[in-house]
Amino acid sequence: MPAEAASSGGGAEPPGAPRERRRRRGRARARTEALLHTLKRSRRVKANDRERNRMHHLNAALDELRSVLPTFPDDTKLTKIETLRFAYNYIWALSETLRLA
């Protein structure tokens, strides 16, 4: 018993009460199902927005890369992986040309 009294800070409350208070220390209040649903929905919407922005930036960067790569038929749009592979090979070819010159 002395160990429980020392850990509860005086022992004025029943033994179950301090544990309940400790468990909720990080939260201001208990969350209801509706509030949890709203929070999950807003987090998902924000995550979707971040992913959409990330993809827009990635696609814009790939478009810029495509604009500086020489392609034979000008109306052909390279896929993402083709663009990266072509850019790698083009940079390698340019560096080999510089090395040999």
Side-chain angles (χ1 to χ4, degrees):
M1 273 306 221
E4 287 180 18
S7 66
S8 66
E13 298 173 348
R19 282 190 193 143
E20 185 66 29
R21 191 176 331 128
R22 259 187 256 133
R23 187 174 20 185
R24 287 191 183 175
R25 181 177 290 162
R27 294 183 184 166
R29 58 189 157 105
R31 295 182 177 169
T32 64
E33 281 294 318
L35 181 60
L36 285 174
H37 181 69
T38 304
L39 285 173
K40 286 180 182 179
R41 184 185 266 324
S42 69
R43 287 178 185 156
R44 177 56 21 215
V45 167
K46 288 177 185 178
N48 288 347
D49 286 341
R50 284 192 304 270
E51 178 64 12
R52 192 175 306 109
N53 285 333
R54 188 186 73 82
M55 288 306 299
H56 282 307
H57 290 320
L58 178 63
N59 289 332
L62 285 168
D63 286 339
E64 283 186 51
L65 183 57
R66 283 185 195 105
S67 71
V68 297
L69 292 175
T71 57
F72 299 110
D74 290 332
D75 58 347
T76 304
K77 181 180 175 185
L78 299 171
T79 65
K80 292 175 184 178
I81 192 68
E82 288 171 343
T83 301
L84 293 174
R85 287 181 179 148
F86 190 83
Y88 176 85
N89 291 332
Y90 185 58
I91 292 168
W92 178 82
L94 289 175
S95 59
E96 282 297 304
T97 304
L98 286 174
R99 189 181 64 81
L100 294 174

